[in-house]
Amino acid sequence: MAPTLAVSFNGSSNVTDFVLNKANGVKGLSEMGLKSLPNQYVQPLEERICDTKIISQESIPIIDMSKWDDPKVAEAICEAAEKWGFFQIINHGVPVEVLENVKEATHQFFSLPAEEKRKYLKEFSPSNNVRFGTSFSPEAETALEWKDYLSLFYVSDDEASALWPSVCKDQVIEYMKRSEIVIRKLLDVLMKNLNVTEIDERKESMLMGSKRTNLNYYPICPNPELTVGVGRHSDVSTLTFLLQDDIGGLYVRGNEDGWIHVPPVEGSIVINVGDALQIMSNGQYKSIEHRVIANGSKNRISVPIFINPRPSDKISPFPEVLASGEKAVYKEVLYSDYVKHFFQKAHDGKNTIDFAKI
């Protein structure tokens, strides 16, 4: 059966139809046992990652959160946000079973038949807040990414219960709920370091007014060296709260051209600064380019929660950050305009931030 199907993929429109319109995703391609990568997934040379670009002697900080009140923990968080833009946290208080349940639910969603997942494609989904898709922005990309995803924008428990896929909604809601305590603590520490001593209603909206969770699935790839799971980008969030499985494959930008692997640490969560926080901190906290490689032997999943301003929020450097006379590097932008700009193009490293520069 597989070879016959593979033959029908001579035209790129056939692949698009199979992957996108019929909702088989790249998972469907992977499970056919293709011997070579379809052309539209072959990335240009400069977008591939090779061993010579991997910095093996460096790693991002791992911070033990078991003593929240220890000033050294706060210091480590702020230093990591300033220097690296990425860090891992352990002993964070989110129960292991909650993390395991959401990983299992992710596998269950992607194991559904294509006709079930098809119900959540853009044109059929019961809501704009629930979206099954593949790659990043297929209509804007010249080469596609080897990834499927389910994106869930959180409005309320009631809406999530009514509209999110039943196979994963309870687990994702619980994961978001348990994570919020940790996210608030992290933001509190990061804000105090910026002399923002009080998070009023307006600031809370700008920091964490909206949330989106993605269930990401990176299937086994026939030619992993020719493509990417996710291309170079920084997140548009305030913070991203990422659960990895034990496969590995996330890389963050190190010095110059190098990339540093973020190895899976059991029970850990990866935290990274997004563009919104870089803007609000006037560049004190850094959102860093990162990417995911494709894997030739194992299926990988990840579950990020993106903590964002509300779409209607206008974001700019906080007055407290500029109070000492520091000059603003970023102008005020409507957050929905910033996000729209991000999704109108393919992943292109840190270039999105230029949209907000003065």
Side-chain angles (χ1 to χ4, degrees):
M1 179 177 161
T4 324
L5 277 169
V7 170
S8 71
F9 284 161
N10 291 337
S12 63
S13 59
N14 290 344
V15 178
T16 305
D17 187 55
F18 179 82
V19 171
L20 287 174
N21 306 337
K22 293 197 168 74
N24 289 289
V26 287
K27 181 175 185 281
L29 283 181
S30 173
E31 288 173 350
M32 285 168 45
L34 294 181
K35 294 289 179 266
S36 61
L37 196 67
N39 286 340
Q40 55 265 66
Y41 291 93
V42 177
Q43 294 284 333
L45 264 172
E46 63 272 15
E47 294 304 332
R48 302 178 205 169
I49 195 166
C50 60
D51 291 345
T52 56
K53 290 183 177 176
I54 294 170
I55 307 168
S56 52
Q57 65 273 26
E58 283 197 62
S59 58
I60 66 166
I62 297 172
I63 302 172
D64 186 340
M65 310 297 281
S66 52
K67 295 178 180 168
W68 269 108
D69 301 329
D70 186 338
K72 284 181 183 166
V73 172
E75 196 180 306
I77 290 166
C78 297
E79 190 180 308
E82 288 175 5
K83 184 186 170 187
W84 292 92
F86 261 85
F87 53 98
Q88 298 202 66
I89 56 173
I90 55 172
N91 298 321
H92 40 67
V94 181
V96 172
E97 61 269 24
V98 171
L99 302 180
E100 291 305 315
N101 289 346
V102 84
K103 284 195 272 191
E104 176 59 30
T106 300
H107 280 289
Q108 286 186 352
F109 173 79
F110 287 102
S111 296
L112 291 173
E115 55 268 25
E116 276 300 305
K117 290 182 280 198
R118 194 167 184 264
K119 293 175 184 173
Y120 299 102
L121 287 175
K122 185 179 181 177
E123 55 270 42
F124 306 118
S125 181
S127 162
N128 273 338
N129 297 333
V130 185
R131 180 77 48 81
F132 169 65
T134 186
S135 197
F136 168 65
S137 189
E139 56 288 341
E141 291 166 315
T142 49
L144 300 174
E145 300 174 344
W146 193 259
K147 179 189 88 164
D148 298 327
Y149 67 86
L150 176 70
S151 187
L152 303 165
F153 183 83
Y154 179 83
V155 174
S156 67
D157 280 7
D158 287 347
E159 193 201 84
S161 293
L163 300 177
W164 291 7
S166 58
V167 74
C168 59
K169 64 185 177 189
D170 292 341
Q171 296 88 335
V172 175
I173 291 169
E174 185 66 12
Y175 169 55
M176 292 178 83
K177 206 167 278 182
R178 295 299 194 119
S179 303
E180 184 166 335
I181 303 155
V182 186
I183 289 157
R184 283 182 180 277
K185 284 179 176 177
L186 287 169
L187 285 171
D188 189 49
V189 165
L190 291 165
M191 287 304 104
K192 280 183 177 147
N193 188 51
L194 296 177
N195 297 317
V196 178
T197 49
E198 190 201 344
I199 300 178
D200 58 19
E201 204 174 309
R202 182 171 170 271
K203 282 202 175 78
E204 175 156 328
S205 176
M206 287 168 71
L207 289 167
M208 54 183 302
S210 69
K211 299 178 192 71
R212 180 186 296 279
T213 301
N214 276 15
L215 310 185
N216 294 328
Y217 191 90
Y218 304 91
I220 293 168
C221 180
N223 302 105
E225 72 288 352
L226 298 181
T227 191
V228 295
V230 178
R232 303 175 298 113
H233 70 289
S234 58
D235 293 343
V236 293
S237 56
T238 300
L239 285 182
T240 302
F241 189 93
L242 173 76
L243 174 62
Q244 296 199 84
D245 64 9
D246 59 355
I247 307 299
L250 171 64
Y251 285 80
V252 305
R253 174 71 81 183
N255 56 20
E256 295 165 16
D257 227 11
W259 294 91
I260 298 163
H261 188 227
V262 181
V265 174
E266 197 175 341
S268 73
I269 296 289
V270 180
I271 305 293
N272 66 277
V273 172
D275 291 354
L277 185 54
Q278 178 166 325
I279 291 165
M280 289 185 270
S281 70
N282 203 39
Q284 188 167 329
Y285 299 136
K286 310 284 191 298
S287 70
I288 300 295
E289 252 185 279
H290 52 287
R291 61 190 303 169
V292 175
I293 62 166
N295 192 303
S297 57
K298 292 177 177 173
N299 300 314
R300 176 182 183 266
I301 59 154
S302 69
V303 190
I305 303 174
F306 300 103
I307 313 301
N308 309 310
R310 290 181 203 266
S312 58
D313 282 326
K314 290 177 177 174
I315 61 169
S316 60
F318 286 132
E320 291 91 336
V321 180
L322 305 176
S324 60
E326 188 180 318
K327 199 177 172 189
V329 182
Y330 302 102
K331 62 189 176 190
E332 184 178 78
V333 291
L334 180 66
Y335 187 63
S336 58
D337 286 346
Y338 191 84
V339 173
K340 192 175 168 187
H341 173 70
F342 179 65
F343 280 100
Q344 276 173 343
K345 55 192 177 55
H347 280 141
D348 60 353
K350 279 281 292 176
N351 291 344
T352 309
I353 201 90
D354 291 345
F355 183 79
K357 277 188 179 161
I358 288 175

